[in-house]
Amino acid sequence: MPQGWERVMTDVRTVWSGKALLGEGPCWDAGRGVLWFVDIKNRRVHRLDPASGEARSWDAPAQVGWVLPAQDGGLVAGLQTGLARFDPETGAFTPLADPEPHLPGNRLNDATVAPDGSIWFGTMHDSEEAESGRVYRFDGRDIADSGIAPVTITNGPALSPDGTILYHVDTIAGVIHAVPVEGGQAGEPRAFARIAPQDGNPDGVSTDSAGNVWVGLWGGGCARLYAPDGSLLREVKLPAANITKVALGGADFRTAYATSASIGLPEGEDAGEAGNVFTFQVEVPGRPLPLAKLA
């Protein structure tokens, strides 16, 4: 056991019981005081108001990987067909830009927002066979390829609080990479943390206010917390096998929200709580996600 590692059996609650096929993309919207998340395979956008317990859902026109609040008060979504404005009042999705019109077998998978309002996002091969997934940056008008080598399934990305380190996940290889970022340009990746196959596969990542990295483990039934130096700090067991991502929110940003999936379970295994959203408390708070810049 690594020195300082704490396996925490903490109080975990289920806050949404919709049993998503592929729950993903949790994002705390500080302005609205709600949690956005998606069900990729069912093409649904979900919004949960933890204060009232009210949940609402919208149909998306294609597989949807994430929804992020924007500077203009609206929202931007990552669809299989590209980035789009999303209006929850009308349910309309208005196309903005498509990074891969030549790769119809790919889809957008996960994203984050940099301090300058740019969106860093990844794509992946929807059938999980070809190494066609890349990491891109959208500055509000144009999309640029990060130059990071393609993989089959990208996850993350997430950024350090100051925006100088991009955490990019190669899920199949079981590696979280740390990539230096300067002036919107990505540098040379280095291995930040490796997940042993028997522990699961690293899925979505996010960072807290101290620069620690949370990761959901697909097939691992837990979320892990890594220090900025890559050492393992904490593991939280959760009541589903496939944990996809953790977002920190609430009034003090000390409430973790973890999404999960009900697909990909071993044959004959009881789905139980799979596909639900879970919550637990953390010691180190998160921080408001920067608002996305749209032209």
Side-chain angles (χ1 to χ4, degrees):
M1 179 182 298
Q3 185 176 3
W5 180 31
E6 182 183 8
R7 177 179 278 117
V8 175
M9 302 304 292
T10 189
D11 289 332
V12 174
R13 294 188 298 112
T14 300
V15 292
W16 184 82
S17 301
K19 294 189 178 297
L21 280 179
L22 184 51
E24 257 289 8
C27 169
W28 181 255
D29 184 339
R32 297 176 176 87
V34 299
L35 180 78
W36 295 97
F37 60 102
V38 302
D39 183 344
I40 296 175
K41 293 301 180 182
N42 275 327
R43 302 183 178 188
R44 300 278 279 170
V45 173
H46 298 289
R47 185 183 68 191
L48 173 67
D49 182 345
S52 67
E54 179 187 9
R56 187 177 172 189
S57 303
W58 293 261
D59 291 322
Q63 292 188 95
V64 54
W66 43 267
V67 171
L68 297 167
Q71 292 177 359
D72 63 3
L75 296 153
V76 58
L79 303 175
Q80 182 164 11
T81 50
L83 282 71
R85 287 180 183 269
F86 167 55
D87 183 352
E89 295 301 319
T90 64
F93 290 81
T94 306
L96 290 169
D98 184 356
E100 296 175 340
H102 59 296
L103 294 174
N106 272 15
R107 64 172 172 82
L108 275 64
N109 193 45
D110 203 357
T112 193
V113 184
D116 66 0
S118 59
I119 299 174
W120 290 82
F121 66 95
T123 63
M124 62 169 281
H125 191 245
D126 193 35
S127 298
E128 303 179 10
E129 296 171 347
E131 290 189 347
S132 58
R134 293 184 177 273
V135 178
Y136 297 92
R137 178 178 179 268
F138 177 63
D139 66 3
R141 186 180 301 274
D142 299 313
I143 294 175
D145 190 326
S146 68
I148 296 171
V151 298
T152 304
I153 302 176
T154 67
N155 258 300
L159 285 155
S160 59
D162 62 4
T164 62
I165 301 175
L166 181 81
Y167 294 99
H168 153 61
V169 182
D170 181 344
T171 293
I172 290 180
V175 182
I176 304 172
H177 294 283
V179 185
V181 174
E182 184 174 357
Q185 301 296 313
E188 188 67 24
R190 63 175 174 82
F192 169 76
R194 297 183 184 275
I195 311 298
Q198 63 268 24
D199 293 338
N201 292 94
D203 205 298
V205 289
S206 59
T207 56
D208 65 21
S209 57
N212 302 312
V213 178
W214 281 100
V215 60
L217 293 190
W218 182 277
C222 69
R224 282 184 174 179
L225 180 66
Y226 289 86
D229 65 2
S231 59
L232 182 57
L233 296 176
R234 183 181 181 190
E235 181 178 280
V236 179
K237 301 299 291 182
L238 294 164
N242 297 330
I243 305 302
T244 54
K245 190 172 181 179
V246 173
L248 302 181
D252 59 1
F253 287 91
R254 292 180 184 271
T255 301
Y257 295 95
T259 47
S260 66
S262 59
I263 61 172
L265 298 175
E267 187 175 352
E269 181 173 319
D270 182 7
E273 292 263 14
N276 293 341
V277 178
F278 313 109
T279 185
F280 56 92
Q281 297 300 300
V282 300
E283 293 79 15
V284 179
R287 65 194 189 287
L289 189 70
L291 298 176
K293 178 172 59 178
L294 295 177

